[in-house]
Amino acid sequence: MTIAAKTVNIQGEVLALTNQRCIYWKAKEALILSDLHIGKTAHFRKNGIPVSSEVLQKDLQRLEQLIHHFNPKSLIIVGDLFHAELNKDVLFFKKWMQQFPDINISLIKGNHDKNSFELYDGLNIDLLDNQLELPPFVFVHDIKTYAVNKFYISGHIHPGVLIKGKGKQRIKLPCYQIIKNKLVLPAFSEFTGLNSNTNIEITRCFAITKTQVFEV
């Protein structure tokens, strides 16, 4: 796996936008990611849709390599860590997390995160219902209202960008979007769709591939 990054300066802070669908904030020694949707593949299998468990395993392999690469003290998860009820994927994740006992997880709960305590039992998770404010940023899953003097980092919409080549060539890539006073993270899980709806407020867009991050 190749880990590449594009650094941006936002609100006086340097953020490394990686091609592995997460941000490293060096000043806080934190990995910032969103929309892992753990339990989604098992939920689909339970409902008769044959989705391989390797999807989750590959996502966690990427996260493991990112943790070893950056050696963060914390993970800031901007919503939708889990997708559904307690299931085999969730239990697999709990066992997988045991190798990182010193990493603190802050989870700003998303629309898919459930209230059941058993989902979070045994995990070193600081649960936040609405937002986490770590100046100069406010972390929130899906922004409903803005404060003009704050900068938000969010997830939820699984942003993508359509890259046009010669003739009819088209490719859709996950991306980071900067929209006025917020940055939207791509979904960390590769088992998600991509929303490439054009937003006229987007000021900067960074597409990601397996090997690079580039501004479009």
Side-chain angles (χ1 to χ4, degrees), residues 33-37 77-80 141 155-156 158 187-189 192:
L33 56 159
S34 183
D35 297 278
L36 283 83
H37 290 280
I77 301 177
V78 194
D80 287 355
H141 182 60
H156 183 58
H158 308 174
F188 187 82
S189 176
T192 55

Side-chain angles (χ1 to χ4, degrees), residues 166-184:
K166 293 182 179 180
K168 295 183 178 180
Q169 292 179 335
R170 301 286 189 275
I171 185 171
K172 189 184 291 186
L173 297 172
C175 68
Y176 301 88
Q177 294 178 345
I178 300 177
I179 308 170
K180 290 186 176 180
N181 61 333
K182 75 172 179 177
L183 185 155
V184 185

Side-chain angles (χ1 to χ4, degrees), residues 23 25 32-35 76-81 106-111 113 128-134 136-147 150-159 177 179 181-186:
I23 293 173
W25 185 8
I32 306 165
L33 56 159
S34 183
D35 297 278
I76 300 173
I77 301 177
V78 194
D80 287 355
L81 170 60
S106 295
L107 170 62
I108 300 92
K109 293 174 73 173
N111 55 296
D113 293 309
L128 301 114
D129 286 330
N130 298 308
Q131 64 182 38
L132 169 65
E133 188 160 356
L134 289 176
F137 304 121
V138 178
F139 298 93
V140 58
H141 182 60
D142 182 24
I143 302 174
K144 301 297 185 182
T145 58
Y146 293 83
K150 296 183 183 295
F151 191 95
Y152 297 85
I153 295 179
S154 67
H156 183 58
I157 67 172
H158 308 174
Q177 294 178 345
I179 308 170
N181 61 333
K182 75 172 179 177
L183 185 155
V184 185
L185 288 154

Side-chain angles (χ1 to χ4, degrees), residues 109-125:
K109 293 174 73 173
N111 55 296
H112 279 284
D113 293 309
K114 303 298 182 181
N115 293 316
S116 174
F117 178 75
E118 62 184 355
L119 285 174
Y120 309 101
D121 187 25
L123 292 170
N124 184 27
I125 292 182

Side-chain angles (χ1 to χ4, degrees), residues 90-102:
V90 175
L91 295 175
F92 180 85
F93 171 70
K94 287 185 175 184
K95 185 175 181 180
W96 178 88
M97 273 301 302
Q98 290 175 4
Q99 66 187 303
F100 304 114
D102 298 325

